[in-house]
Each structure stands twice: as structure tokens, then as C-alpha cells.
Amino acid sequence: MQNTEHATASAASTKPLFEGSDWNFDLVKKAYDACEEIGLGELGLDIYPNVIEVITSEQMLDAYASIGLPRMYRHWSFGKHFVRDELHYRKGARALAYELVINSDPCINYIMEENSMTMHTLVLAHAAMGHNHFFKNNYLFQEWTRADAILDYLDFAKTYVARCEDQHGPNAVEQVLDAAHALMQQGISRYPGSNRTVSLARERERARERHLYEQQSFNDLWRTVPQKRQEEDADSAEDAQPSSAAGGSQLRLPEENILYFLEKTAPKLADWEREILRIVRNLSTYFYPQRQTKVMNEGCATWTHFHIMNRLYDKGLLTEGSMLEFLHSHSSVTMQPAWNDRRYSGLNPYALGFAIMRDIERMTTEPTDEDRDWFPDIAGNGDPVGTLKQIWAEFRDDSFILQFMSPKVIRDFRLFNIHDESQRPQVFVSNIHNELGYRQVRQALSKQYCVSSLDPDLQVIEADLQGSRRLVVAHNVRNGVLLDRANCERTLYHLARLWGYRVKLIEIDYETGKVLKEHENLRMP
Amino acid sequence: MQIVDRRRNPKSKSLGNRQRFLRRAKAEIKEAVREAVKTRKVSDIDAGEEVRISSKSLREPQFSLDSKSGSRDFVLPGNTDMVVGDTIPKPPPGGGRGNKGSKEGTGEDDFVFALSREEFLDVFFEDLKLPNLVKAKLKQIKSAELTRAGFATDGPPSKLNHVRTMRNSLARRIALNRPSLAYLEKLEAELAEAEAETPLNEGKVNELRERLARVTALRKRVAYLDPLDLKFNRHERLPKPSTQAVMFCLMDVSASMTERLKDLAKRFFILLNMFLRRHYKEVQVVFIRHTNVAQEVDEETFFTGRETGGTVISTALVEMERIIEERYPVADWNIYAAQASDGHNFSDDMAECIEMLQTSILEQCQYFAYIEVGSIDDGPYPSSEVWDGYEELVGEHANFAMRRVAEPGDIYPVFRNLFSEDAKANSG
């Protein structure tokens, strides 16, 4: 480890915070204060107030299952994840994460009762300081999420879904949720604007108004009106609210946020179904920044805990035993198996993030000539913390890697770039970690973390609201990568359920405009 | 910073999700449970179980990109000796990186999880029922049920009825003119204002002070919440009537019953026993085994004892009649019987058996089920003395049913068939 000079330099007259592995609330508080002193005092981190919640392993599994959010609404898929995780955990096939932290204000950190005091300290440094700072300062989180509103919103969502279950039956709600979950990745408006999850009060008010309007505008007389023509008129007048033109220019097509589009335009959905789509869409948006900052977020938190733990040790606040326990778990978290290793399962965001952060720290203080060539702005600027904080605030994974991954990191990880043509029986190496390859490898890796190139690019391009009522969705095919057929058919089924009529999906080559494949689904009555 | 201890929070917060999940996977779970019964040992047939179900109805599809089409670039770590232009053969389809698809549960893989014993049995005995449970005689009243019984003026704090209590408190406060906090604050503000006034208006200040003192005293005298206000929920134990039923289990353990046949018969009775214990707390079970003599035994001996001899079925019927007469008056009891045998009987005995069934036993019983255990080699309709003999009863008596079981896999369907709610309709 690179920290040996730190570790041996412990010159301490102060008493350690704790000895042994047992913990109690006073010790946790003491450890937190010590972490905070370093995190806020020395590093100048800017964090939301912390709430630390002690939970059991079962509760941790629970939190896992409901995608890390407390107070989630009920759905069978969370039950499914729970039984699967539980089985793995009981069989010892998978360990539980040490912590779980929620991007909210106040920031909620879960710590597990089984862990030792050292692990608790590590978690506090990692989550309560590192992640918390990242949540509060990174531009994506600022733009896309409202940390102060999310807990209230979850409460609202949970009660709303429960009320719908009471009113319309669990099966009906389940079907809508299933369909909405299937389209969750298509529930994000990628161009920021009015995307923020709004406050609970406004949200509740809106739901109530929607319901009230429905009630007020309901007139039982309409049911008795005999002429068919009139009925049709009423129908289309309702639809015409957003647009009457079949061309869809007034529908503001193309629209990439399919859930949004359905919520606003799907002809057959009931009031509460639209609200559920909205809930799922808002949650999807809430998670969008997290998906884009895995490497940075973990890198930031890991760098922070590494720094704080070493400082605690330097100050004599950690015993040698604790330090060793910490180093052991730290090095297993930041381990990166090679591509042909049995344990390999993709690049480890902890390892990569931590390596790049450490590398930036090194460059600011002990730059080499190569660093000066590649990073003239930060090499030797002497301000590692300031540089890191600025980077944490202003980048996301793809831009961060493209900008700050140095040749040294590429060499250390021995990264190489593979090109894969689906028709060929083998893949070939297109770049390795040498002078010629650094930039290409870096560019390819950056692309690998760019969410918009990982998710299929789908857009609603046509919606006929008067005639056949057909909905057409286009998939912009890049590099000839089509949709997975089986999954596509099943998801399309859900889309057709929500839309209520025929749905067509065409896969169009982005460059040539050629239609490569078509899928169609008709809602079964 | 704030530390919250959540460990005491109600457990199994995920129960709702789990129930929804089980409901979703019901068809598959049923199939898996049925499989499990086939292969399990007799002794742990009713334990909880790890079931393996296909994830067909548990799919969570999303639009995803097909890794087998088009071209892509990706970056891997840990290059050792490769240079630009080297090729690596692709891993064979299906193999390769193990945790890619299955990890998210979207793969086609089977899905394994553990059902608790309760859940297992729930699935197992779903929709089953004892037919014709009619003679509801309220003789034995064992069970008592807590029911709401109005309100009481004292009780444990956990039963405090907040709404009632606060209603009383409010009424009392209004009746006794307790000044509100807002009024008190208003007076205080007025007083402060008056005191700050220049020139000081002594009279007004004094009056306000006096009024304030009076209001404060009154607020003290009339408590916000008085012991008088407290109302508690009251519960009472009400005896709950229950129907009485007895089940006779008659099993042939003669020499002609091989180990395999006995195993089949025992499996059936274990199911029956579990089903009764689970669904009908008050049902009594009488175990009778017979060779050429019959004898009432306890559960343990019935399932585990070893004894051999010839076969005279009527002895078991006689024993059953004797017990009915002795302990279970027909007027008070719902009587059920299940008989299992390999179909062999002492040939002179058959007529007597049928005679007994026809004249007395079937009249007394709500339902009589006969299970013949055999092997597949016997063909679909092998004939045996007992089967042929009993066949004539089927048409005449609606409460008589017979089924054949040739392998463990048959037991569950036959059992369901005998006790499902539809079968009840057939049987009368």
C-alpha cells in the first residue's frame, strides 16, 4: 500500500478513540466527531447534516431490495430481490455492503449492528463524509435531485400506491407498476429543465386537484346521451387537449421520455394510473445522477475515508489493530481482478475511482514530466484537496475519465481496448497501454461510462390520436447494435398495455436512416 | 449529527413485498411444492423447503441492447502480454462471464428461494376442505377469541384510546372554560405592550396583570389532560363455537403390503394428518391398523410401527364401529374415514366388509375415502378383490370415494382430488 509512510509515522500521545471491536452509541458519536473534525476542519468538506441509523442485517437486506430507499412502495419485485439476496447472504455467497447512504437532506447513513467499531468508523468516513459531500456538491445531483424533498416524496408515493391498492385492487396497481418499471429507463428527460422532484406539498396538492377535477367534471348524464357521434366527439375533444393534429408536431414529438409521454397523452389511462407513472418517472430521474457518477462517487468516498482513517491514525486516535483491520477491508474493496481472472466482473468503480483520485493528489504535489505534459493545469499546483473538490463538483464519470485519467493509471491497471464485431468468432485488441494507445484507451473507457451510449436510444416519433391510435417508437441504432429481441417483445407488451392500442417499434440505423427491424404489439382486450 | 437505533423497528418490513411476490409466483410454486412432495422422505414432508421455480412469471423486462449484434469497443484491465492486433477467441455462448445476466435475475435461469414451513403448507393445502361438515354441535368449547367490548376507564397504556380520550379532554376544557394557550399568549403580549408604553398606564397594566394571573391559575387548575378523560379500549374473551369431527385412518399393514406400498399409504396419511391438524384445530384423529386383527394405535406407532400378518379388512371396520359407539356418538360428531390397502383381502371377508359399509358405516360417515396403493406395472385398471368389491358402492353412496395411487407423484393429486372443494360437490 502507498500509505506505509503515513502508517509508520504514528506519533501519538493521545488516547485512541476505541479499543477492541465492540461498539456503543457513545463510541460511534466520538468516532463521528473525530471524522467530522478532519472532514470539515481539515478537508473543508461541505455536507448535509447526517443522520446515522443503526440497523440489523435483515433490515439491510430490506433496504437493498427496495433499491436502497427507505419507505418504498410495495411491489412484488422488491420481494423477489429480497428472497434472492437473503438466500445468497445466508449461504455466504455474498456479503452485505457495510453501509448504505441516501442522497437526502438530512443525509441518512445506515450502519449495521454486526460490524466492528473500526468498520463503523470507516463507514462514517466513507459515507457520512465522502458520499455526503459528493451528493451535496456534484452538479448532476444539484441539477437532477432535490435532496430535501426526496424522503417526503417517498412517503407520498408509498401512501399513494397503498391507497390505489385499496381503491382499485392490488392486481390493477401491480399491472401498472410492472409496466412502468419496464419503461423506467425511458422515464428520464435527459435535457434538464423542469425535471426536479417537486416538494411533497405541491405533489400532493396536484394529485388531489387531478382527482377533484375528475370528480367535478364527472356528469352522470353523459352516460345517458344516446348518440354515438356525440360520444366520439367528447372523446376526441378530451384527447385534443394536448393536440388534435395527427402529425404530432403539437405533441412535441419526438419525445424521449416515454413515461412522461404516456402520462400526458395515453388515451385510456385512468387518473391514478397516470399518477403512478409519474411516481416511477420521478424515482427514475432521482437515480439518474447516481448511474452517471458511480466511479466518481465511490472514488470520492474511498479517497475521503482513506485520508480520514490515515489522519486518525496519525493523530493516535486509532490503534494499530484497527488500522490493520481497516487496511485489510480497504484493500479488498479496491481490488481489481484482471480480465481473465475468475473473479472478474467488470471494472471495479471503487478501485478505478480511488486510483484516479490518488493519482490526481499525487500529480498536484509530486508531478512527473509526463504529468506536466498531460495535465499542465493541475500538475504541481500544490493544492490536492482544492483540485479534487473542484473535480468532484464539476464532472461526471465519462467527462471525468476523459479529462483526468492519466497514463500512469492506465499503466497501473494495464488497460487495453478490445474491438468486437458480432459476426467474427474472435475479438481483437485495438489499443494497449502505450504512447499510441493512452488517448484511445481513455476515450473508449470514457464512452463505456457514458450512460447515453449504454442505454438504448428510444423515442416516440408518432402517435395517432384520432385514427388508428397507433404509437410508433423508434430505436436509433448505433454501430448496428439492435435491441435484445426477447426483452424487447416483453417490454413492448407493457408499453402496449399502457398505451391501450397498437404499438410499433422500429429500429432505425442512426447513420443511414435505414429501417433494420420492426416489432409490433397489440394490446389484448 | 443524530444517531437513531432502528434495530427495534418492526421486523419483516418486507412482508408485504414477500406476499406479493409469492402470489405472483403462485403457479410455479405450486408445481415446485408438488415436486418436493414426490421426492421427500416421509419424515420431513412438512418441513419448510427451498423451492426452485423458473423465473418465467418473475421477469422484469426492460429494453436492452443485444450483445450479439453490431460492433462495440470495450476496455479491460490486466493486460499481460497482448499487443495491438492480437485476437482473443470469444467465449462460447452461454458460458463466459458467469454473473452477467443471471445476477439481475433477468436471465432465463431458475430462481431458488426458501419457503417457510407455514408458506409451504399454505400452498400445499390451498382450497382443501373436509366435505359435509354439518353437524355443528356446540359441546366442546375450547377456543376463546378476543373481541372488542366497548371502552373502559382504566387499562394498560397500550390500550389507550386516543380519540376518545382527547374528545373527553376537549369537552371538559370547554365546559370548565379553560383559557387557551393562544389567549394566554395574547394577554402576555398585551401586557408587555402596556408595560412598554410611555407614559405608563398603571391601571391598565395592573388590570392586565391580574387577568393574566387569573388565567394562569385557571389553566393550572383545569388540567389539559385529566385522569378523568382517559378512555381505554376494552377486550373480552368470547367463547367460540367449533364443530366437532373425527377422522378414522385405517391402514392395512399385512405381509402383502411391501415396504414401497406402506410408504405410499403412509405418505397419504401423513398428508391427511397434516391437513387436518392445520385446518381443523378440533378434529380428532383415530389411527387403526390391521392385519388379520385390528388395533387402535397412537400416531407414532401408526407411522413407524412394524407388524405383519394376514389380511382381514372387516376387523378394522369392526374396530371402527366399536370406537364410534364408545366415544363418538353419531349425533354429535362429523365422522370421516380414510382407508388404505393394497387391495388384497381374505376372500370370504369381502362380503362382510361391503355389508358393514352399506348397513352401518356409510350411514354414519360424512365421507369415506378408499385409497388403493399399487404399482404402475399393474396397468391402469388392475382388478383387486377390494377394488372390485367396493366398486358397487360408488354409485349407491354419494359419500363414498375411491382412488388408486401407484407412485408418490400420484398422492398429492389424488389427495387434492378427494378433498378439493369441487370433489365435495360430487360427493354430495
Side-chain angles (χ1 to χ4, degrees), chain B residues 356-408:
Chain B
M356 278 186 75
L357 282 172
Q358 245 165 352
T359 53
S360 65
I361 291 186
L362 284 182
E363 312 254 290
Q364 297 169 347
C365 282
Q366 304 296 121
Y367 192 54
F368 190 106
Y370 171 68
I371 292 88
E372 183 161 308
V373 290
S375 79
I376 312 179
D377 309 334
D378 300 344
Y381 299 106
S383 75
S384 71
E385 287 124 47
V386 183
W387 186 271
D388 294 345
Y390 278 2
E391 209 142 38
E392 60 184 272
L393 296 173
V394 174
E396 293 171 34
H397 295 271
N399 60 347
F400 182 82
M402 51 201 270
R403 297 283 185 280
R404 199 186 302 260
V405 173
E407 51 179 339

Side-chain angles (χ1 to χ4, degrees), chain A residues 503-515:
Chain A
V503 171
K504 189 171 171 188
L505 190 145
I506 38 182
E507 304 204 52
I508 304 173
D509 192 277
Y510 188 66
E511 266 129 44
T512 61
K514 216 172 87 188
V515 174

Side-chain angles (χ1 to χ4, degrees), chain B residues 25-87:
Chain B
K26 202 164 186 180
E28 272 106 349
I29 291 174
K30 261 190 183 157
E31 194 51 47
V33 165
R34 186 172 310 185
E35 267 321 287
V37 173
K38 233 189 270 181
T39 51
R40 276 178 177 200
K41 279 198 288 201
V42 172
S43 55
D44 49 26
I45 233 172
D46 68 335
E49 164 84 349
E50 225 161 64
V51 288
R52 177 180 290 275
I53 60 178
S54 88
S55 46
K56 209 173 146 201
S57 64
L58 299 173
R59 283 186 191 128
E60 297 170 81
Q62 295 211 316
F63 287 120
S64 62
L65 295 173
D66 183 1
S67 55
K68 287 183 214 65
S69 65
S71 64
R72 57 185 56 71
D73 287 283
F74 51 91
V75 176
L76 295 174
N79 181 16
T80 44
D81 50 6
M82 275 174 293
V83 293
V84 174
D86 279 359
T87 57

Side-chain angles (χ1 to χ4, degrees), chain B residues 27 32 64 70 94-95 155 168 172 185 211 291 297 299 305 328 337 362 374 399 406:
Chain B
S64 62
N168 282 347
R172 186 179 45 80
E185 274 166 358
R211 228 195 308 169
T291 51
V297 293
E299 189 178 338
Y328 303 105
L362 284 182
N399 60 347

Side-chain angles (χ1 to χ4, degrees), chain A residues 7 10 12 14-19 31 34-35 38 117-119 121-122 305-327:
Chain A
S10 91
T14 27
K15 251 184 86 192
L17 289 169
F18 54 87
E19 283 175 28
C35 289
I38 297 168
M117 193 54 220
T118 310
M119 294 310 298
T121 315
L122 168 60
H305 84 226
F306 188 74
H307 184 90
I308 292 181
M309 292 302 272
N310 274 303
R311 283 292 299 142
L312 285 176
Y313 182 64
D314 290 347
K315 285 171 147 189
L317 294 171
L318 285 185
T319 61
E320 306 241 320
S322 301
M323 195 61 191
L324 281 174
E325 187 187 345
F326 155 67
L327 287 174

Side-chain angles (χ1 to χ4, degrees), chain A residues 494-507:
Chain A
H494 284 304
L495 179 56
R497 278 198 62 85
L498 291 178
W499 177 247
Y501 298 93
R502 189 179 292 274
V503 171
K504 189 171 171 188
L505 190 145
I506 38 182
E507 304 204 52

Side-chain angles (χ1 to χ4, degrees), chain A residues 220-318:
Chain A
D220 201 38
L221 271 182
W222 284 115
R223 207 165 41 79
T224 62
V225 175
Q227 291 117 316
K228 207 169 170 222
R229 257 205 70 69
Q230 224 160 350
E231 233 170 54
E232 269 170 9
D233 277 351
D235 235 12
S236 61
E238 208 175 86
D239 294 338
Q241 248 176 346
S243 135
S244 54
S249 60
Q250 273 130 309
L251 285 171
R252 273 179 283 171
L253 292 178
E255 169 65 60
E256 54 156 353
N257 190 338
I258 298 181
L259 281 183
Y260 173 83
F261 181 82
L262 290 172
E263 180 199 331
K264 299 297 176 206
T265 353
K268 276 184 166 177
L269 289 184
D271 174 34
W272 61 272
E273 293 174 310
R274 290 176 208 275
E275 193 62 43
I276 286 182
L277 294 193
R278 188 183 172 87
I279 287 171
V280 173
R281 183 162 71 79
N282 278 335
L283 289 180
S284 182
T285 305
Y286 171 78
F287 283 112
Y288 190 53
Q290 310 214 351
R291 294 180 53 221
Q292 295 185 82
T293 53
K294 273 185 207 150
V295 173
M296 284 196 77
N297 206 340
E298 293 306 347
C300 163
T302 310
W303 184 89
T304 310
H305 84 226
F306 188 74
H307 184 90
I308 292 181
M309 292 302 272
N310 274 303
R311 283 292 299 142
L312 285 176
Y313 182 64
D314 290 347
K315 285 171 147 189
L317 294 171
L318 285 185

Side-chain angles (χ1 to χ4, degrees), chain A residues 25 32 50-54 58-59 62 74-81 83-84 87 90 113 165 174 178 181-182 186 339 344-345 413-422 424-430 432 448 454 458 479-484 487 490-491, chain B residues 1-7 9 11-14 16-18 20-21 23-24 50 57-66 68-80 82-90 97 99 103-105 108 111-114:
Chain A
F25 288 97
Y32 178 84
N50 276 301
V51 174
I52 289 153
E53 306 203 344
V54 185
E58 192 197 320
Q59 288 168 319
D62 225 15
R74 297 216 180 284
H75 188 249
W76 63 268
S77 64
F78 305 139
K80 170 184 154 184
H81 297 161
V83 296
R84 192 194 51 210
L87 194 75
R90 273 198 301 115
E113 63 167 352
E165 285 192 341
E174 185 175 295
D178 284 354
H181 284 183
Q186 279 70 47
W339 67 281
Y344 178 76
S345 61
F413 275 78
R414 309 187 76 82
L415 296 176
F416 63 114
N417 189 6
I418 292 286
H419 185 72
D420 173 16
E421 298 272 351
S422 58
R424 302 250 190 103
Q426 73 283 85
V427 297
F428 77 93
V429 177
S430 53
I432 62 167
Q448 199 166 317
L454 291 181
L458 294 166
N479 299 323
V481 182
L482 297 170
L483 291 176
D484 180 74
N487 264 335
R490 288 173 201 142
T491 317
Chain B
M1 198 267 303
Q2 190 190 349
I3 304 181
V4 189
D5 189 356
R6 291 269 180 227
R7 289 171 296 173
N9 270 23
K11 276 186 131 188
S12 57
K13 212 174 81 180
S14 57
N17 290 331
R18 184 179 175 92
R20 281 168 176 75
F21 161 71
R23 199 183 57 215
R24 175 89 176 193
E50 225 161 64
S57 64
L58 299 173
R59 283 186 191 128
E60 297 170 81
Q62 295 211 316
F63 287 120
S64 62
L65 295 173
D66 183 1
K68 287 183 214 65
S69 65
S71 64
R72 57 185 56 71
D73 287 283
F74 51 91
V75 176
L76 295 174
N79 181 16
T80 44
M82 275 174 293
V83 293
V84 174
D86 279 359
T87 57
I88 310 170
K90 287 186 196 172
R97 299 187 198 99
N99 48 2
K103 198 176 169 189
E104 295 310 312
E108 302 285 329
F111 186 83
V112 182
F113 68 100

